[in-house]
Amino acid sequence: SWSGEEYGLLGSTAWWEKHADSPLLRRAAAYLNVDTGVSGTRFHASGTPSLGRVLAEALGAVPEPDGTGRSLAEAHWSEGQLMTLGSGSDYTAAIDHLGIPCLDMAFSPESGAPYGVYHSTFDSFEWMDSEGDPGFVRHVAMARLWGLIALRLAGDAD
């Protein structure tokens, strides 16, 4: 968790700059970003095109939590559209300054609008539990997806 995001990405940018020459970042395969992981039911992703295949494969292996038996790929990725990364989130310094491939994933409202309680006093566990993601089923799906992508990117040295 980074601090200072709303003030110009200060926390993450400082971290990326401080550790740019570390063995971890010199060998980084990707940075997986989940800024607002769940605020609705529509999955979308933005990222570096080189990560499109691993994302599509992982989406095919994670069940859509609506109980239909479909995968996330079947439910949300019929066109396979990986959107272009913009800026304004903690991946910015990784991709812009260090050239590390990045992927940003979220479940958002169907309307595409930001969810109404973001950064308010109502943005709470209670709101998420009762309104945002009752049962936290999309949180579980996001954790499965993130973990599967991380495992596949870690891969094998050969």
Side-chain angles (χ1 to χ4, degrees), residues 28-49:
Y31 174 68
L32 305 179
N33 192 68
V34 178
D35 191 355
T36 305
V38 179
S39 61
T41 59
R42 182 181 62 91
F43 177 82
H44 62 94
S46 302
T48 308

Side-chain angles (χ1 to χ4, degrees), residues 32 34 43-45 54-63 72-73 77 103-107 138-152:
L32 305 179
V34 178
F43 177 82
H44 62 94
V54 71
L55 172 63
E57 290 171 358
L59 284 166
V62 176
L72 287 177
W77 210 248
L103 189 60
D104 186 39
M105 303 174 287
F107 283 100
R138 298 210 181 274
H139 283 81
V140 170
M142 181 61 77
R144 286 179 176 168
L145 179 62
W146 191 100
L148 188 54
I149 292 169
L151 285 170
R152 290 185 177 185

